[in-house]
Amino acid sequence: MRIAVCIALLTAVAGAALAAEIPLSERRSGYSFMSADTRAMQDEDTANPGMLFVLDGEALWKRKAGAANKACADCHNDARVSMKGVATHYPAFEKALGRPVELEARINLCRTNHQQASPFAYESRELLALTAYVAQQSRGIPIAPGDDPELAPFVEKGHALFMQRQGQLNLGCTNCHDDNWDKKLAGSAITQGQPTGYPLYRLEWQSLGSLQRRLRACMTGIRAQAYDYGSPELVELELYLMSRARGMPIETPAVRP
Amino acid sequence: MARLAPITLLAAALLAACAPASAEALRPYTVVGDAIPASLTGAKGDATRGRALIVERSSTCILCHSGPFPEQSFQGDLAPNLTGSGNRWSEGQLRLRLVDAAHLNAATIMPSYYRADGLTRVGASWRGKPILSAEQIEDIVAYLVTLRN
């Protein structure tokens, strides 16, 4: 009896020490931490600078490219129909590669395999524009990561990376985004680090940027060696963030300070 | 030197022998209870320089802490306000907090400012170096002990 109580207590203590995942009812997008002005900028398509990229993306969707001389639209037709909800379950497992790929990599796979064109560079205007155009078709739709069992080990790795302390400042993502999201870091709100708005327009960047750009910025902030764009680690982190944000609506193209 | 435990001296000698010529070897120090009573440099720090350092963003203190720094509009609230630190802690206790806060609380988020090993994936420009030099830590300690109100 005593032993059982002890075990129960120990388990409770251990559970409390491990940062608990944020319950659905308390999940908050970065949007809810912003000033009224910045929110209005996201809400109004005519004021949202991210919409210029979306328009570019729409043009690219329809433009023929590569040796195959095919446009995205030649295979996928109207993105408003075919791409609806797609971004809610990325990164997705890519059987041919045996690993998950993020939306940007998926687009580049279509470029190389189906258009026979060269892949776009990470953070190039073209790749951001196409990704934003595809993701915008999921605006308002809840994030629903695939429950493909092949994804599970990669989500687990992403979770471990999220918990891992690193860099000269020796902090983990969880220290800020699970434990201190209601606080301020040198005056700016620390949010829950939810991946709902990407690619998004960041006023600080004066540009649209990908989720991976954001993750690399957080790593540099703690003086860690940022993982390369497209590296397995960044994709695993993206995957974990999406599973952690399950049920939250996509906001692409969001605006952030 | 007589104060140093033999193991500290040995570690320091090993460090000096193995550290790349470019990285400055950390100076040895001795923890007594919850404090490092002796100055890391053997000299007293400069409180004015210490205050200037804390207010500078590159020292990282005010990312998390606030304090009596009216000229700084962006201060953090992840950590206690530094006002009154000199009342709450002795010079030696403050020194250990800066050098290695994790020694006192393994789960703390406060970085260890005078430590260069046992870390993961440190970026190339910071690798092998402590966040602050021994001199900078002494300057900050000299300032913190003046916060008595």
Side-chain angles (χ1 to χ4, degrees), chain A residues 107-217:
Chain A
I107 289 169
N108 268 335
L109 283 173
C110 279
R111 271 194 64 86
T112 50
N113 297 345
H114 303 306
Q115 295 180 302
Q116 288 154 37
S118 54
F120 291 124
Y122 276 99
E123 302 310 293
S124 61
R125 179 151 186 122
E126 292 88 346
L127 188 54
L128 288 170
L130 267 174
T131 310
Y133 179 60
V134 170
Q136 194 231 3
Q137 310 309 323
S138 299
R139 195 149 70 164
I141 305 179
I143 290 174
D147 32 23
D148 192 338
E150 292 179 288
L151 279 176
F154 297 95
V155 178
E156 225 4 85
K157 280 192 208 164
H159 186 202
L161 290 168
F162 194 82
M163 306 305 291
Q164 158 91 59
R165 289 199 185 223
Q166 55 179 332
Q168 196 190 32
L169 302 191
N170 201 27
L171 293 168
C173 316
T174 183
N175 292 131
C176 287
H177 295 299
D178 284 331
D179 300 342
N180 285 297
W181 55 261
D182 49 350
K183 303 250 171 60
K184 292 229 154 86
L185 191 70
S188 63
I190 298 176
T191 72
Q192 298 178 350
Q194 302 290 5
T196 45
Y198 289 83
L200 57 69
Y201 191 91
R202 205 171 168 82
L203 299 174
E204 185 200 334
W205 295 337
Q206 298 277 298
S207 171
L208 208 71
S210 68
L211 179 55
Q212 295 196 8
R213 179 172 179 183
R214 177 67 246 181
L215 303 190
R216 286 167 50 87

Side-chain angles (χ1 to χ4, degrees), chain B residues 32-116:
Chain B
V32 179
D34 68 345
I36 301 174
S39 162
L40 297 175
T41 60
K44 223 177 146 42
D46 177 320
T48 310
R49 278 205 308 258
R51 185 184 190 284
L53 264 172
I54 291 189
V55 172
E56 243 173 60
R57 204 161 162 156
S58 59
S59 73
T60 72
C61 308
I62 57 169
L63 285 180
C64 294
H65 288 279
S66 54
F69 319 118
E71 74 275 33
Q72 254 301 353
S73 40
F74 299 109
Q75 306 184 25
D77 65 0
L78 299 190
N81 188 301
L82 293 175
T83 307
S85 295
N87 285 338
R88 293 192 289 275
W89 311 103
S90 71
E91 182 195 304
Q93 287 174 318
L94 288 167
R95 189 175 287 110
L96 176 54
R97 275 202 159 64
L98 286 183
V99 164
D100 190 11
H103 183 93
L104 296 161
N105 169 11
T108 189
I109 55 169
M110 176 153 159
S112 296
Y113 282 85
Y114 200 61
R115 165 179 173 185

